[in-house]
Amino acid sequence: MVGYREVRRLWQDDPIDFWRAAAKQIDWISAPENILDRSRAPLYHWYPDGVLNTCANALDRQVAAGRGDQVAIYYDSPLTDSKQAITYRELLDQVALFAGGLASLGVHKSDRVLIYMPMVPQAAVAMLACARLGAVHSVVFGGFAAAELAARIDDAEPVVIVSASCGIEPGRIVEYQPIVEEAIKLAGHKPTAVVVLQRAQSPAVLGAREVDWQELMATATEHDFVPVHANDPLYILYTSGTTGKPKGVVRDNGGHAVAMAWSFTNVYGMGAGDVWWAASDIGWVVGHSYIVYAPLICGATTVMYEGKPVGTPDAGAFWRMIEEYRVNGLFVAPTAIRAIRKEDAAGSHLSQYDLTSLRTLFLAGERLDPSTFEWASEQLGIPVVDNWWQTESGWPIASNLRGLDPMPIKSGSPSVIVPGYEVRILDAQGKEEPPGTEGAIVIKLPMPPGTLPTLWGDDQRFIDSYLTVFPGYYTTGDGGYFDEDQYLHVMGRTDDVINVAGHRLSTGSMEAVVAANSMVAECAVIGVHDELKGQIPRAFVVLKAGVEVDPMVLRATIVAAVRDEIGPVAALKEVVVVSALPKTRSGKILRATMRSIADGREFVVPSTIEDIAVLEAITPLLHGEITAD
Ligand code: COA
Ligand code: AMP
């Protein structure tokens, strides 16, 4: 850990100098002289006088450096039985052309473009084209329904939406166009155009507002990159918060580019010419940072996969990919590994492939349980590296730094704090907890480049949501502790965010849908343990007096409502009718206590509890499996 300690000390001694040096990995149109603007604390801005273009760093400079013929994107879609290798030169051409197409539709610097697309290379083209124009993209995950899309349209107010005729899930085609149309109908803001990528599996009939991707490309002229200030936003990524209204996490251009280059090299140990596969979706932060931006900014080859870890066609799907593309680094959510293990515990599929190219397996997005860690380590015989971070940070906060200083790996911990972050464990009064004692995980301000500078159009919400509970610190929403070796252990969320199959969801927004049912008096949605998905939402419902309903009918109604309002990704499948919910004497539902019981964490029964018997009755229902009826 000598290298790690040294670099951390360098950063602690002079963070400004540290981030000035790191910025040299980026091509600036005008290099920053001022490294950190503290004048609006607690809002901080990195590289305020720097001017650059993120797309130029990802593409133009790679071509200029002689990487034009290197593959930039391998696209592999077992769901459509298609494959493509796109070189840096080809990608630059497509992006410049699509940027020209967007400009012809009226998209200019700082305008927003909403991208609602499946895992196809055109999704990356659309993102990079926005970056080229200095426009701000907002990618929405395909598993969200029209109402969620509408909320994002109203918040981001996009000039244009870029979509596809359909997405493909195993066994079904997801028609995107009706969802986009419905969302536009629901939203107050109306975009001027919707660009539709027609897919052979289900082409759409285009209406007056819609423009065919191919036709747009056929008539467009290539657009050069537009210089932007480092603090100009690159994208908005909506993520679940504690209320139903999603939070628009803003990412700037300059700090983000520096953080991508620094983390890809130092945390993931990857670089130019490497083949890197982040098996996530462009709708999540992993997709933004490590499918699109970091690998391209560093001149690596990125793999885009449209498929599942199992069943497309079998539990060998991932291993086939590694062999075929000679993948050097793989990044997935633990859920994906659990899904593979469930189908192929003995690793018989795995042993059929040549996996010698793979140096490291990175796992993140949810807690890495020791048994998944051990299985993957044994099967692959390479380092299995947990890394902890979130949409807001944009890059790892805690990890084993494979490029800087590989260190011993401990099951159950994402290892150490990445230089740039100062993490503390605090109790409810803001006092620091000693090693071994769990508390709130917070980060001392200012956070490093690449982390969120604010929430879209709402500085006050940013301050209220993250910076107010512990003044001087950013509250991560996770609880955990340091051990004696200063390794961090992340135990789970302390708010109503849950992680279902690596997908971040708000139980608060599910509760809003459940509570709207006319039969429901009150409810609580709690994330309970699931063998495959890590957590799944379970709704506890108290019926209104006099209501009698078949539990199966109630369940079907509520499940359908959540699917319609939030989307299939919400994955609420379990509804339990209870006679009462545990509450304080003042009538507040004890959600935090219920969460602790469900997570198997230590908790203290509040002295203000109204009736301990209600809590005791619900406790078994917070554990383990329940049957559908
Ligand atoms: N568009 C439309 N629907 C989608 C979707 C998308 N992009 N992604 C998921 N869905 C749907 C699924 O089809 C499923 O629908 P169903 O209820 O009709 O079956 C529902 O949303 C729930 O999806 P999911 O929770 O992913 O379950 P699954 O059974 O389809 O797949 C896994 C399970 C484990 C294979 C899958 O979740 C997985 O690969 N997880 C890895 C997660 C990941 O990469 N996370 C990114 C953060 S690192
Ligand atoms: P997201 O914003 O979707 O990336 O989700 C971030 C949340 O996922 C974090 O706040 C954690 O609760 C959880 N998470 C992500 N990575 C890990 C990890 N390695 N270990 C434990 N929890 C994680």
Side-chain angles (χ1 to χ4, degrees):
M1 281 172 71
V2 177
Y4 166 69
R5 288 213 181 92
E6 258 170 30
V7 170
R8 200 169 150 74
R9 208 189 42 246
L10 270 179
W11 164 72
Q12 276 170 330
D13 287 352
D14 194 341
I16 299 302
D17 213 42
F18 182 86
W19 289 116
R20 179 181 288 115
K24 297 208 162 75
Q25 289 185 71
I26 293 306
D27 281 2
W28 299 87
I29 296 163
S30 174
E33 303 261 314
N34 185 359
I35 302 303
L36 178 63
D37 174 9
R38 299 169 174 271
S39 64
R40 293 183 57 218
L43 307 181
Y44 296 90
H45 297 100
W46 288 94
Y47 311 116
D49 57 353
V51 177
L52 77 163
N53 182 280
T54 298
C55 175
N57 273 279
L59 301 180
D60 303 65
R61 75 160 170 172
Q62 309 300 355
V63 174
R67 300 196 170 278
D69 295 329
Q70 181 191 313
V71 174
I73 298 180
Y74 280 124
Y75 165 62
D76 190 300
S77 168
L79 287 172
T80 59
D81 199 19
S82 51
K83 295 176 188 181
Q84 224 181 319
I86 305 168
T87 65
Y88 268 98
R89 186 171 291 107
E90 289 165 343
L91 186 59
L92 173 56
D93 289 347
Q94 286 185 37
V95 168
L97 212 51
F98 193 66
L102 285 178
S104 73
L105 295 173
V107 176
H108 301 111
K109 180 172 179 286
S110 306
D111 286 341
R112 273 79 59 212
V113 173
L114 188 142
I115 300 172
Y116 184 65
M117 292 184 91
M119 278 293 288
V120 289
Q122 288 87 347
V125 169
M127 291 165 76
L128 290 159
C130 291
R132 193 166 192 81
L133 292 174
V136 183
H137 61 70
S138 184
V139 182
V140 180
F141 179 62
F144 283 116
E148 290 285 327
L149 197 51
R152 287 151 174 80
I153 292 173
D154 273 338
D155 199 64
E157 302 183 313
V159 175
V160 167
I161 295 181
V162 184
S163 189
S165 57
C166 65
I168 297 146
E169 285 293 290
R172 82 187 154 100
I173 288 186
V174 184
E175 310 280 356
Y176 278 9
Q177 203 204 16
I179 300 175
V180 174
E181 270 174 21
E182 172 70 10
I184 294 174
K185 211 187 296 168
L186 290 172
H189 172 83
K190 310 289 176 198
T192 55
V194 179
V195 181
V196 181
L197 174 76
Q198 294 281 24
R199 303 191 78 191
Q201 291 73 21
S202 182
V205 178
L206 303 189
R209 203 195 307 260
E210 283 144 330
V211 182
D212 183 298
W213 174 291
Q214 292 289 0
E215 286 174 19
L216 184 67
M217 291 291 261
T219 52
T221 49
E222 292 191 353
H223 205 297
D224 204 352
F225 60 82
V226 174
V228 299
H229 284 103
N231 294 150
D232 285 337
L234 170 69
Y235 69 76
I236 309 164
L237 180 54
Y238 288 91
T239 190
S240 304
T242 39
T243 65
K245 189 172 178 261
K247 291 170 170 167
V249 168
V250 173
R251 194 80 59 211
D252 65 11
N253 274 276
H256 171 254
V258 174
M260 291 301 97
W262 196 90
S263 60
F264 199 60
T265 318
N266 290 286
V267 177
Y268 297 105
M270 295 286 143
D274 278 330
V275 180
W276 166 257
W277 178 23
S280 177
D281 187 286
I282 45 133
W284 306 111
V285 69
V286 175
H288 284 63
S289 294
Y290 298 111
I291 294 176
V292 179
Y293 287 111
L296 298 178
I297 284 173
C298 292
T301 297
T302 186
V303 179
M304 286 184 80
Y305 177 70
E306 189 183 32
K308 302 274 171 177
V310 290
T312 52
D314 55 35
F318 272 29
W319 317 131
R320 189 269 301 167
M321 291 281 295
I322 291 166
E323 178 183 284
E324 189 164 336
Y325 300 108
R326 307 297 300 152
V327 171
N328 303 121
L330 171 63
F331 183 136
V332 287
T335 298
I337 301 297
R338 285 195 295 269
I340 296 170
R341 177 190 180 182
K342 198 170 159 217
E343 298 275 307
D344 183 22
S348 55
H349 283 285
L350 188 144
S351 59
Q352 290 167 24
Y353 294 93
D354 173 5
L355 306 181
T356 49
S357 62
L358 192 64
R359 299 202 291 266
T360 321
L361 171 66
F362 294 95
L363 296 171
E366 57 180 317
R367 185 163 184 270
L368 173 56
D369 54 288
S371 108
T372 303
F373 165 78
E374 276 148 28
W375 184 82
S377 304
E378 265 167 38
Q379 292 293 328
L380 291 167
I382 54 169
V384 173
V385 174
D386 186 5
N387 51 123
W388 169 71
W389 49 295
Q390 43 186 209
T391 305
E392 290 86 341
S393 69
W395 58 288
I397 308 167
S399 184
N400 205 295
L401 289 105
R402 303 313 292 176
L404 178 66
D405 181 10
M407 51 194 79
I409 293 173
K410 281 192 198 185
S411 172
S413 166
S415 302
V416 297
I417 301 307
V418 174
Y421 293 95
E422 194 71 70
V423 169
R424 300 265 188 276
I425 307 292
L426 302 183
D427 70 10
Q429 282 68 47
K431 205 167 109 306
E432 206 166 330
E433 295 284 17
T437 305
E438 200 180 318
I441 310 179
V442 300
I443 304 170
K444 198 163 183 294
L445 298 175
M447 293 204 288
T451 55
L452 83 169
T454 189
L455 293 176
W456 179 249
D458 206 343
D459 287 348
Q460 195 54 49
R461 188 174 179 208
F462 172 57
I463 292 168
D464 294 345
S465 309
Y466 298 103
L467 310 182
T468 303
V469 180
F470 301 108
Y473 295 93
Y474 162 89
T475 304
T476 65
D478 280 301
Y481 64 91
F482 279 116
D483 67 17
E484 297 292 345
D485 300 321
Q486 283 298 298
Y487 273 51
L488 183 71
H489 296 251
V490 181
M491 303 311 289
R493 297 287 304 196
T494 54
D495 55 13
D496 72 356
V497 168
I498 58 170
N499 256 283
V500 181
H503 305 142
R504 174 166 162 180
L505 298 163
S506 154
T507 54
S509 61
M510 291 186 222
E511 279 179 12
V513 178
V514 179
N517 186 296
S518 59
M519 293 180 277
V520 172
E522 55 186 1
C523 68
V525 176
I526 305 291
V528 299
H529 175 74
D530 183 76
E531 276 301 320
L532 174 65
K533 297 190 177 187
Q535 274 186 311
I536 48 165
R538 184 172 289 172
F540 295 89
V541 165
V542 178
L543 295 177
K544 282 185 183 157
V547 169
E548 279 186 23
V549 56
D550 177 347
M552 293 299 279
V553 173
L554 178 77
R555 176 176 159 270
T557 316
I558 287 177
V559 166
V562 170
R563 203 178 167 94
D564 281 357
E565 290 284 314
I566 301 175
V569 68
L572 178 80
K573 301 262 160 78
E574 298 185 349
V575 178
V576 189
V577 176
V578 291
S579 53
L581 289 168
K583 287 186 186 171
T584 61
R585 282 189 289 275
S586 60
K588 201 168 157 284
I589 297 174
L590 291 170
R591 289 187 174 81
T593 311
M594 290 171 77
R595 273 198 301 269
S596 298
I597 296 171
D599 287 350
R601 294 159 70 181
E602 280 177 24
F603 66 97
V604 180
V605 177
S607 57
T608 53
I609 192 164
E610 184 188 38
D611 183 354
I612 186 88
V614 175
L615 184 67
E616 284 166 357
I618 214 165
T619 295
L621 302 173
L622 288 161
H623 294 299
E625 312 254 317
I626 54 160
T627 51
D629 51 352

